[in-house]
Amino acid sequence: RLSGIINKMSSEMSRDQLNNIIQEVLSETRTAISSSDVLSERLNNTMSEMQGLKKDLDDAKREAKTDTLTKLANRKAFDVVLEKATTDADSAGMEVCMIFGDLDLFKKINDTHGHIVGDQVLRVVANSLKSAVKGRDLVARYGGEEFAVILLNTSLENSKRVAENIRAEIAAKRIQRRDSRESLGQITMSFGVARYFPSEGAESFLQRADRALYMSKRK
């Protein structure tokens, strides 16, 4: 519309006609500025909404990979990291070890003290596991009272030492019920440790760690 108004201007126009044209240009310019301000505000609001949606999406992705009780990685996240670690080990020769752990007689804790106390024990164990490894390693709640740790660039002997340190630390704890301060007695865990064999695949690796855990349980 501004272009159409300006095209009406000519050198033969009277002062009044020219003044009218100028008033039209000013009016249209004000309208354009007002529209631009409204558009700018809408764009800013949209950007803010998009940032909020992105945060919600990031939170949802993180929650999808996190165990809600222990705040450790969940089984889904564990499977993804295990697959990548074994693939990297096959292609680059990286050493990968796994620790598989299971709370002993956990059903007895739940039956005696209830599931709320059982959840408290799981959280204590999760914190002990997480504090025992480096940031690049993954600690996951595999399911129920089972936990798994993936150790990158770590030898089998060092992985055994990590597992033994965790075992001893948990066995030394004396957990009390929060409501009554009653002691739960000694809490113990059994562990199995395995080192990845090149090209064996994630499933075989996991099965060997599980068998090692089963042997530990039997003993």
Side-chain angles (χ1 to χ4, degrees):
R1 291 191 61 177
L2 279 167
S3 179
I5 293 168
I6 292 170
N7 287 336
K8 290 192 292 184
M9 295 177 66
S10 71
S11 57
E12 300 172 355
M13 297 179 74
S14 67
R15 183 182 295 249
D16 289 340
Q17 289 174 321
L18 189 58
N19 186 60
N20 289 336
I21 292 289
I22 291 172
Q23 291 303 318
E24 284 188 68
V25 169
L26 288 173
S27 176
E28 287 300 327
T29 301
R30 291 190 189 99
T31 301
I33 290 171
S34 177
S35 298
S36 178
D37 288 343
V38 170
L39 178 60
S40 179
E41 183 180 356
R42 287 179 180 172
L43 284 171
N44 287 335
N45 289 338
T46 302
M47 286 292 291
S48 179
E49 289 173 5
M50 288 176 67
Q51 288 171 354
L53 288 171
K54 184 180 183 302
K55 183 181 181 300
D56 290 344
L57 182 60
D58 290 341
D59 290 345
K61 285 180 178 178
R62 185 167 55 253
E63 288 172 5
K65 296 179 180 180
T66 303
D67 176 63
T68 54
L69 176 65
T70 62
K71 305 306 178 186
L72 297 177
N74 60 16
R75 171 70 183 276
K76 180 179 179 181
F78 170 81
D79 288 341
V80 171
V81 172
L82 178 63
E83 189 65 37
K84 185 178 186 309
T86 53
T87 301
D88 290 346
D90 289 337
S91 61
M94 180 179 67
E95 194 161 26
V96 179
C97 287
M98 185 191 307
I99 301 172
F100 221 51
D102 185 89
L103 274 158
D104 299 322
L105 304 175
F106 186 66
K107 184 176 184 299
K108 184 178 177 182
I109 296 173
N110 279 332
D111 290 346
T112 304
H113 299 281
H115 289 279
I116 292 176
V117 175
D119 289 349
Q120 178 190 343
V121 173
L122 290 173
R123 282 191 287 265
V124 169
V125 169
N127 290 334
S128 295
L129 287 165
K130 196 156 191 176
S131 64
V133 302
K134 301 180 289 290
R136 66 185 178 182
D137 300 322
L138 179 84
V139 182
R141 184 184 180 194
Y142 190 77
E145 64 270 28
E146 288 184 319
F147 296 85
V149 182
I150 297 176
L151 300 167
L152 306 177
N153 294 316
T154 306
S155 68
L156 181 61
E157 287 306 313
N158 284 339
S159 298
K160 287 179 182 178
R161 277 194 284 271
V162 171
E164 175 58 21
N165 290 340
I166 297 170
R167 187 204 64 76
E169 180 186 340
I170 291 171
K173 289 182 182 297
R174 293 298 179 266
I175 304 173
Q176 293 180 328
R177 290 185 56 142
R178 288 177 180 168
D179 53 356
S180 64
R181 298 298 178 186
E182 176 189 354
S183 173
L184 303 185
Q186 187 182 40
I187 305 296
T188 64
M189 284 188 78
S190 300
F191 291 92
V193 184
R195 180 173 65 85
Y196 182 70
F197 293 149
S199 302
E200 74 167 316
E203 185 175 351
S204 171
F205 183 30
L206 185 59
Q207 286 176 349
R208 288 194 300 107
D210 190 44
R211 282 199 300 270
L213 170 61
Y214 181 68
M215 289 171 63
S216 177
K217 281 281 191 187
R218 287 181 60 188
K219 294 179 180 181

